[in-house]
Amino acid sequence: MGYLIRKTDHFLQEWKKNPDRYPLIIKGARQVGKTETIRRFAKKNYRNVIEINFITEPAYQAVVEDGFSADSITKLISRIDPSKHFVAGETLIFFDEIQDFPEIATALKFFKEDGRFDVICSGSLLGVQYHRIASISVGYKTDYQMYSMDFEEFLWAKGYSEETIVDMLDHMLSKTSFSTSEQKVFSNLFLEYCILGGMPAIVSNYIETGTFEGSLELQRQLLIDYENDIIKYAEGLDKAKILSVYRSIPAQLAKENKKFQYSKVVRGGRSKDYMGCVQWLKDAGLINICECLQFPELPLKGNVNENKYKVYISDTGLLVASLDDESQTDLRANKNLGVYKGALYENFAAEALVKQGYGLYYYSKENSTLEEDFFIRSMNELIPVEVKANTNQAKSMNQLIKSDSYADIKHGIKLTTGNIGVNGNIITFPYFCTFLLKRYMKEQKIFK
């Protein structure tokens, strides 16, 4: 299987075009494709590439012994490995796995001022170390967050062209239903994507073999690797507590009320004992946190209840891999994505929103059945997004739109297994369109 095209490829090309480019730090969880993407870009765009991995080549942690200037670092690199040459204007220095040596970030300022070489840094769990990195390279770096593949990248991997994506968006904008065959094809592709998730190695294996064989083993190995990372990198926090929080998420999502509860991590668990653990997992890129609005109105920031939130796994395929064997069979053999009380649909929607740059917010009214899964916003509207494991009516959404109490809410979006449809001020889209919501919002007139 060849290289899988990523959205990061385009970002890197735009970065290279900028004559005043800053050293680049690419953050992202383990195995989302950072190293392979950077290597491909480097090979295509530079005559000379110096790659240093601080995990597999710890000797290079000595390159700052004589200071952080570009001259002293390049001199020490070439002393460790004389085959490494530095050609001004034609060289990319790629520091990989910098979570094991965040001090290298101090050098970014000096590389920028020196100007002879381009620098890209990368690593997993960078969010956890980021307070150290940010403080020592402020104003001299560009940050980029890389995620596992989204559904659009999955479609590219399956051979679908940009024309297909444009056609899907046209259906949404014109509110035209997909044909029966289109609906079936895209729904099956979406199911494949949900089961596999977006980790490039797992997607590659699936496309190469044409079957799900081996995918579960690869996913479960990745879960083990993530847990090992927690044990290795969780400094100053109770590693067992972080592991307990991470392992509790599938069961938390299986509840009717998906609010994260510490009592479900351990009997008698309290917020003050575990809050740092949840933040650590978020910083590590392993989870997404959905904050609870105090009231469904704009602005969203500053309008959250800090004690209530939901937690989703950052890649739905890894959530699938963590389910019990009976649920695995139900999902893979019976194509039942409704397994786990709709948790997979909700997790997928959260993941798709985050990958488009949206923050995650929900609303749950005290002592009421009024609850809304997610919200996105336009210039002057707050739009509830409801996730349905079936095609039932969206009662809460209707209530929010029709009530005079919620002045910022005039329209709603419902995600279902069904086709495109309009019912009053509620627009229904199939799940496989979720990745296009931001583009739809940008071009849709009624939300402006």
Side-chain angles (χ1 to χ4, degrees), residues 17-60:
K17 282 181 194 172
N18 182 356
D20 189 32
R21 59 188 168 274
Y22 283 72
L24 178 62
I25 295 182
I26 296 186
K27 300 184 286 180
R30 173 194 278 272
Q31 293 291 317
V32 298
K34 300 182 298 298
T35 300
E36 188 179 5
T37 299
I38 296 165
R39 279 180 183 158
R40 180 174 181 267
F41 162 76
K43 191 175 179 182
K44 287 176 70 175
N45 290 277
Y46 295 88
R47 282 181 58 191
N48 196 38
V49 180
I50 309 293
E51 181 178 336
I52 289 166
N53 183 310
F54 287 117
I55 287 182
T56 59
E57 304 166 297
Y60 283 101

Side-chain angles (χ1 to χ4, degrees), residues 20 28 58 81 100 107 154 214 253 307 325 330 353 359 371 378 385 428:
D20 189 32
D81 182 355
D100 272 48
F154 180 75
L253 290 173
N307 298 315
D325 290 341
D330 194 15
L353 290 172
E371 181 162 337
S378 66
V385 178
T428 299

